[in-house]
């Protein structure tokens, strides 16, 4: 919508470097992002506390704030169940909200290019991928490059072998839960070319 475009343009015009959490919150205040709602009348304090950890202060805690916190937790590799229980929200739509937020970040990147601001383009790409895949920055190349790996298996790989998978054999890769011969072959191909 026009309102979303204006909000994104205002935000990216006023900052030199993108603050991920602040930008997610700004996106949640646009009409184009599907919002995550609270469950009943339970306490909204956990949402307010999480926002304040990042220097984001809100007087009225509503669905935009619940969505912002859910997305912040999503890119910190929390699953929907953990988000739902921690913040008393209906987190089943987290993936949809994250997908739409990822698209809005791509729009922000395009807008930044049109405005002649090229300094944050890589930051936008990283943020878009984090939202889309629900991962921390360190495993983006792995998740993006190896189809059907997913964030959970990618994280398990990095926990077991570290970020450099080039010296890991296919048999060793298959010892990680959920990784079969075909996926191990694709991971090995990625590791050898990365």
């Amino acid at each position: 919508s026009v309102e979303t475009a204006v909000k994104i343009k205002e935000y990216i015009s006023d900052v030199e470097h993108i603050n991920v959490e602040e930008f997610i919150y700004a996106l949640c205040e646009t009409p184009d992002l599907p919002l995550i709602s609270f469950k009943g009348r339970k306490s909204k304090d956990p949402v307010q506390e999480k926002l304040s950890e990042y220097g984001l202060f809100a007087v009225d805690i509503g669905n935009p704030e619940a969505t912002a916190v859910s997305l912040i937790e999503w890119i910190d590799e929390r699953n929907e169940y953990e988000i739902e229980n921690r913040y008393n929200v209906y987190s089943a739509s987290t993936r949809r909200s994250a997908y739409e937020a990822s698209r809005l970040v791509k729009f922000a990147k395009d807008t930044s290019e049109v405005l002649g601001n090229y300094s944050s383009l890589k930051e936008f790409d990283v943020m878009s991928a984090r939202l889309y895949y629900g991962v921390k920055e360190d495993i983006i190349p792995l998740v993006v490059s190896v189809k059907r790996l997913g964030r959970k298996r990618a994280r398990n790989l990095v926990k077991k072998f570290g970020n450099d998978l080039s010296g890991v054999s296919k048999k060793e890769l298959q010892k990680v839960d959920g990784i079969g011969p075909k996926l191990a072959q694709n991971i090995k191909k990625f590791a050898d070319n990365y």
Side-chain angles (χ1 to χ4, degrees):
S1 74
V2 173
E3 184 181 342
T4 299
V6 169
K7 283 186 183 246
I8 288 174
K9 180 186 175 283
E10 286 174 356
Y11 181 84
I12 63 177
S13 297
D14 292 341
V15 295
E16 217 170 289
H17 291 285
I18 304 301
N19 175 317
V20 173
E21 294 80 14
E22 184 178 88
F23 191 50
I24 287 173
Y25 187 33
L27 293 176
C28 292
E29 293 180 312
T30 67
D32 288 321
L33 191 70
L35 297 179
I36 296 167
S37 58
F38 281 98
K39 291 177 169 182
R41 297 183 180 260
K42 292 186 177 183
S43 173
K44 297 177 180 178
D45 291 344
V47 168
Q48 191 167 27
E49 290 167 11
K50 187 66 175 179
L51 287 174
S52 65
E53 280 180 33
Y54 296 104
L56 304 169
F57 300 101
V59 177
D60 294 324
I61 303 296
N63 293 344
E65 290 75 21
T67 306
V69 167
S70 296
L71 293 178
I72 289 168
E73 290 290 302
W74 175 251
I75 64 173
D76 205 25
E77 298 181 14
R78 304 275 187 278
N79 64 38
E80 292 95 334
Y81 180 77
E82 292 170 319
I83 295 168
E84 189 166 316
N85 289 326
R86 187 176 292 176
Y87 299 103
N88 306 313
V89 297
Y90 291 111
S91 65
S93 58
T94 300
R95 289 176 194 265
R96 172 148 167 70
S97 294
Y99 172 74
E100 293 299 331
S102 173
R103 292 183 64 200
L104 288 174
V105 171
K106 287 179 183 179
F107 174 77
K109 177 187 174 190
D110 293 344
T111 303
S112 188
E113 281 183 288
V114 168
L115 295 174
N117 180 0
Y118 304 103
S119 62
S120 301
L121 299 182
K122 181 159 176 54
E123 290 176 75
F124 285 126
D125 285 338
V126 168
M127 186 177 175
S128 179
R130 288 187 69 196
L131 283 161
Y132 186 83
Y133 292 102
V135 296
K136 295 178 183 175
E137 194 170 338
D138 66 323
I139 63 171
I140 288 174
L142 187 58
V143 173
V144 169
S145 300
V146 182
K147 283 188 176 188
R148 300 175 196 240
L149 178 62
R151 68 186 197 163
K152 191 174 182 180
R153 287 185 287 216
R155 179 55 61 202
N156 288 341
L157 277 172
V158 171
K159 280 182 183 175
K160 185 164 182 144
F161 302 112
N163 285 325
D164 183 12
L165 300 172
S166 60
V168 182
S169 73
K170 290 180 198 174
K171 283 192 179 231
E172 289 174 304
L173 290 170
Q174 290 179 53
K175 291 180 183 175
V176 174
D177 190 34
I179 296 179
K182 188 172 182 176
L183 192 52
Q185 181 179 342
N186 291 340
I187 294 166
K188 190 69 180 144
K189 188 187 296 183
F190 160 77
D192 291 343
N193 295 321
Y194 185 66

